[in-house]
Amino acid sequence: MDLKFIALGLLTGFLTGAFFALVDVPIPAPPELPGLMGIVGIYLGYKLVDGMDVSLNVLESLGF
């Protein structure tokens, strides 16, 4: 992981959130901790399965 990309991602998110608050628009993310933890769980689940090198070709399974 490149620390520069992590910092740029955090900065971009921060500036986007600040802009949404400035123009009084609701953020396109869960405003509560349980919703945020759901997003973290999705990310961790993805990384776990990706790290195990397991995949399923859905179209092939459906016969396409």
Side-chain angles (χ1 to χ4, degrees), residues 7 17 22 25 33 45 49 52:
L22 182 68
V25 175
L33 186 58
V49 172
M52 293 170 44

Side-chain angles (χ1 to χ4, degrees), residues 43-56:
Y43 173 77
L44 292 176
Y46 178 88
K47 294 306 274 182
L48 175 71
V49 172
D50 188 48
M52 293 170 44
D53 201 27
V54 177
S55 66
L56 172 68

Side-chain angles (χ1 to χ4, degrees), residues 24-45:
D24 199 26
V25 175
I27 59 173
E32 301 291 330
L33 186 58
L36 181 61
M37 290 295 98
I39 293 173
V40 171
I42 290 170
Y43 173 77
L44 292 176

